[in-house]
Each structure stands twice: as structure tokens, then as C-alpha cells.
């Protein structure tokens, strides 16, 4: 169990000039993004459905999820990759039409998550 953290350490999304990078083999090119949504101060109900790392503070891996606000479902996705810090209640959802092309993630704070989303939107708008 002690080695599980080293096998699947916390992933923080990074951005280069035309892509979002999670790991070396998980990259989203801006041109491939079909939809991107930002959710602020919502509840995330996450269910693991595959390989994952979960220590109660951070979740990394395959998941299904529902995002709700006042008992209203805002988004439900049966399979995606998730990189979630549980204490942050803001999320970015990115959809591509590539295989395994659904991602939900956040960063270490609400502010960092919002800034990252704004930077992605700005970069995508420059491509369009």
C-alpha cells in the first residue's frame, strides 16, 4: 500500500501553448476540445470505476460522476478520467471526441482552477 502513492502520484494539470497536459500519455490538444465547462461551488458525487488512487484528499483515475447544485443535476458522466482535490469545490470538465477523451479536474484552490479555466478559454478562442 505504501508504494501505491508512488505508482499514481497526484496529478496537476499543466498547460503549454496549445494543450493541457496531465501525464506524458494524457494530453488534450486545444483543437480536439469539443466542449469545456466550468462549475463553481458545486457538489461532486464521484464513483470509482477502474484503476485509481484515492486518499480522501485527492482522487486520480477512472470514474463516473454527477455534479449537482441544490439537488439539481448539472452534469452526469458515466466514464472519464478524474484528477480531483476534494477540498476544492470548483471543477473543469473537458470533452473531446477522442477515445478516453473525457476529463474532470481541478487545481489546488478555487482561484487557481478558475484562472486555469479562463486561460484555456482564452487560448481556445484564439484558435477558433
Amino acid at each position: 500500500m505504501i508504494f501505491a502513492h508512488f505508482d499514481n502520484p497526484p496529478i496537476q494539470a499543466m498547460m503549454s501553448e496549445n494543450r493541457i497536459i496531465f501525464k506524458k500519455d494524457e494530453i488534450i490538444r486545444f483543437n480536439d476540445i469539443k466542449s469545456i465547462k466550468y462549475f463553481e461551488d458545486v457538489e461532486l458525487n464521484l464513483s470509482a470505476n477502474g484503476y485509481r488512487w484515492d486518499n480522501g484528499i485527492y482522487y486520480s483515475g477512472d470514474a463516473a460522476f454527477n455534479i449537482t447544485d441544490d439537488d439539481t443535476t448539472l452534469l452526469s458522466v458515466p466514464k472519464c478520467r478524474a484528477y480531483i482535490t476534494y477540498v476544492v469545490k470548483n471543477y473543469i470538465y473537458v470533452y473531446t471526441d477522442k477515445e478516453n477523451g473525457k476529463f474532470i479536474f481541478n487545481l489546488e484552490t478555487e482561484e487557481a482552477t478558475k484562472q486555469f479555466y479562463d486561460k484555456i478559454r482564452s487560448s481556445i478562442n484564439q484558435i477558433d
Side-chain angles (χ1 to χ4, degrees):
M1 190 67 162
I2 196 165
F3 296 110
H5 182 70
F6 297 110
D7 290 343
N8 199 6
I11 307 287
Q12 284 293 316
M14 297 180 293
M15 191 180 317
S16 73
E17 64 185 50
N18 63 354
R19 63 186 149 223
I20 304 166
I21 303 166
F22 296 101
K23 302 189 282 189
K24 68 178 180 175
D25 59 341
E26 284 189 344
I27 297 171
I28 302 171
R29 298 189 187 289
F30 290 157
N31 288 339
D32 294 334
I33 294 175
K34 299 299 179 193
S35 175
I36 183 168
K37 295 181 181 184
Y38 178 73
F39 297 94
E40 185 172 81
D41 195 25
V42 294
E43 291 299 317
L44 176 73
N45 301 309
L46 191 73
S47 300
N49 67 1
Y51 185 74
R52 72 219 177 250
W53 166 255
D54 187 352
N55 66 0
I57 298 169
Y58 176 80
Y59 180 95
S60 171
D62 297 325
F65 71 87
N66 291 313
I67 292 180
T68 58
D69 186 21
D70 296 327
D71 296 324
T72 301
T73 299
L74 303 175
L75 182 65
S76 182
V77 174
K79 185 174 181 181
C80 74
R81 294 293 291 169
Y83 299 107
I84 301 297
T85 300
Y86 287 120
V87 296
V88 176
K89 299 295 183 184
N90 297 7
Y91 306 95
I92 300 170
Y93 173 71
V94 176
Y95 167 79
T96 74
D97 59 3
K98 305 281 184 192
E99 184 178 357
N100 302 319
K102 297 176 185 174
F103 296 84
I104 188 158
F105 63 98
N106 58 15
L107 301 178
E108 64 279 356
T109 67
E110 284 85 1
E111 296 81 20
T113 303
K114 177 68 167 125
Q115 289 173 356
F116 196 85
Y117 172 79
D118 289 342
K119 192 172 178 183
I120 295 168
R121 289 295 323 164
S122 175
S123 297
I124 290 172
N125 289 340
Q126 293 174 8
I127 293 172
D128 291 342

